[in-house]
Amino acid sequence: GCVLDGKLYPFGEIARTESCFQCSCSPHAMSCCSLFHTPTGYDKENCKIVFNRESCDYDVVEKNNPSKECVVYSHV
């Protein structure tokens, strides 16, 4: 298998790792792509980004009231 972040994964396709990556594991190499997009266009003065491991994505919330989501205009 392949080891990523200290965890052993079996050979083959891995739909989602614990660190939110989709990977392909072979006897020769392991290649991975992230399952999340980083927000870039949002109100950085009043909002902050928080990584949500359950959804494997970033939430953009108000700094003063994290229960309120902020509008995101672009991701990378």
Side-chain angles (χ1 to χ4, degrees):
C2 298
V3 176
L4 179 66
D5 296 329
K7 180 167 173 150
L8 179 64
Y9 292 93
F11 290 126
E13 298 299 316
I14 303 152
R16 177 179 164 175
T17 68
E18 287 183 4
S19 51
C20 295
F21 287 89
Q22 181 178 26
C23 300
S24 177
C25 172
S26 75
H28 305 289
M30 183 175 195
S31 61
C32 299
C33 295
S34 66
L35 293 172
F36 50 89
H37 298 94
T38 305
T40 55
Y42 63 94
D43 180 355
K44 292 180 174 81
E45 187 175 317
N46 297 307
C47 302
K48 64 180 179 177
I49 59 173
V50 178
F51 191 70
N52 182 332
R53 284 203 179 272
E54 188 176 311
S55 66
C56 281
D57 207 356
Y58 287 101
D59 295 329
V60 182
V61 296
E62 290 184 6
K63 289 179 181 178
N64 295 329
N65 186 357
S67 66
K68 287 190 172 183
E69 289 188 24
C70 295
V71 174
V72 179
Y73 301 102
S74 60
H75 293 81
V76 291

